[in-house]
């Protein structure tokens, strides 16, 4: 069974989606530890409710980012974590961390990468005027949101969308694809060719979409 460590900073709805997938036996994995850099993150309450070990590691307790990251690595190794899932973890990781878990760190990002990296990306998507946004599960490398893409979901942007309405619809898709991407990993259902993460499972992707829709 795959041992996962989840890193959080906030509300933890993606953490909840992973917990739910495990409890529903859609995902054969165990969350060994949830680590937050924010003591008041609601994600910690969610984890505790499900009997998951939690740790709070606050950056201010360390002289620099490298020693903070080394402590994260130490705690994850202590829990024998094989895959690290970043779920709304609001810190950029240094090579001390990324090199400790090469191709073993995943992140969920609320845009269709490589468009709109960084923060506040639902607002950036609306202001740019894209007709589709969505979310991406990707491996984490040393860049900002640049690692190989595992899975994406598309969400249309409508004329009436606000940052909040778009973020809410994207979040619903995040909760579907994050546990699914972890399942593919846990079951060894993809191979990696350079930047391309190729699913070994068969299935048909829905036909292409147009937005605004073409009148029939
Ligand atoms: C999500 O939008 C995720 O894509 C981004 O941070 C947010 C975390 O939300 N990385 P939650 O804490 O999982 O509810």
């Amino acid at each position: 069974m795959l041992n996962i460590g989840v890193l959080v900073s906030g509300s933890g709805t993606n953490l909840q989606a992973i917990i739910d997938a495990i409890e529903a036996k859609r995902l054969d994995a165990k969350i060994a530890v949830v680590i937050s850099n924010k003591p008041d993150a609601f994600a910690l309450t969610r984890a505790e409710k499900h009997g998951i070990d939690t740790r709070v590691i606050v950056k201010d307790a360390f002289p620099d980012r490298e020693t903070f990251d080394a402590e994260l690595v130490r705690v994850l190794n202590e829990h024998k974590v094989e895959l690290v899932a970043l779920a709304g973890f609001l810190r950029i990781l240094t090579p001390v961390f990324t090199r400790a878990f090469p191709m073993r760190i995943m992140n969920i990002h609320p845009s269709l990468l490589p468009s709109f990296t960084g923060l506040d990306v639902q607002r950036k998507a609306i202001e740019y005027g894209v007709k589709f946004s969505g979310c991406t599960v990707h491996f984490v490398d040393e860049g900002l949101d640049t690692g190989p893409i595992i899975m994406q979901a598309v969400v249309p942007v409508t004329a009436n969308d606000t940052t909040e309405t778009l973020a809410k619809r994207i979040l619903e898709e995040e909760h579907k694809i994050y546990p699914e991407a972890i399942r593919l990993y846990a079951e060894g259902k993809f191979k990696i060719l350079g930047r391309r993460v190729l699913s070994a499972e068969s299935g048909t992707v829905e036909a292409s979409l147009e937005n605004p829709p073409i009148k029939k």
Side-chain angles (χ1 to χ4, degrees), residues 7-17 42-43 46 86-90 107-111 118-119 121-122 134-136 145 167 170-171 174-175 178:
L7 270 54
V8 296
S9 301
S11 112
T13 63
N14 279 288
L15 166 68
Q16 188 68 55
F42 186 63
R46 293 180 191 272
L86 307 183
F89 185 64
L90 294 176
N107 183 40
I108 178 93
H109 180 80
S111 78
L119 292 175
V121 294
Q122 299 93 338
C135 47
T136 304
D145 302 324
I170 291 175
L171 200 56
E174 293 181 33
H175 299 159
Y178 209 0

Side-chain angles (χ1 to χ4, degrees), residues 160-179:
N160 299 324
D161 261 326
T162 62
T163 305
E164 289 72 30
T165 60
L166 180 62
K168 183 168 178 286
R169 294 205 315 286
I170 291 175
L171 200 56
E172 285 167 14
E173 290 302 316
E174 293 181 33
H175 299 159
K176 294 183 201 163
I177 70 169
Y178 209 0

Side-chain angles (χ1 to χ4, degrees), residues 109-178:
H109 180 80
S111 78
L112 288 178
L113 290 173
S115 291
F116 309 118
T117 57
L119 292 175
D120 204 12
V121 294
Q122 299 93 338
R123 185 183 57 76
K124 288 178 192 163
I126 290 176
E127 285 177 359
Y128 195 93
V130 292
K131 300 301 179 208
F132 291 101
S133 188
C135 47
T136 304
V137 180
H138 63 96
F139 284 115
V140 173
D141 62 10
E142 290 180 22
L144 176 65
D145 302 324
T146 52
I149 291 171
I150 302 161
M151 194 160 180
Q152 294 186 304
V154 174
V155 175
V157 182
T158 69
N160 299 324
D161 261 326
T162 62
T163 305
E164 289 72 30
T165 60
L166 180 62
K168 183 168 178 286
R169 294 205 315 286
I170 291 175
L171 200 56
E172 285 167 14
E173 290 302 316
E174 293 181 33
H175 299 159
K176 294 183 201 163
I177 70 169
Y178 209 0

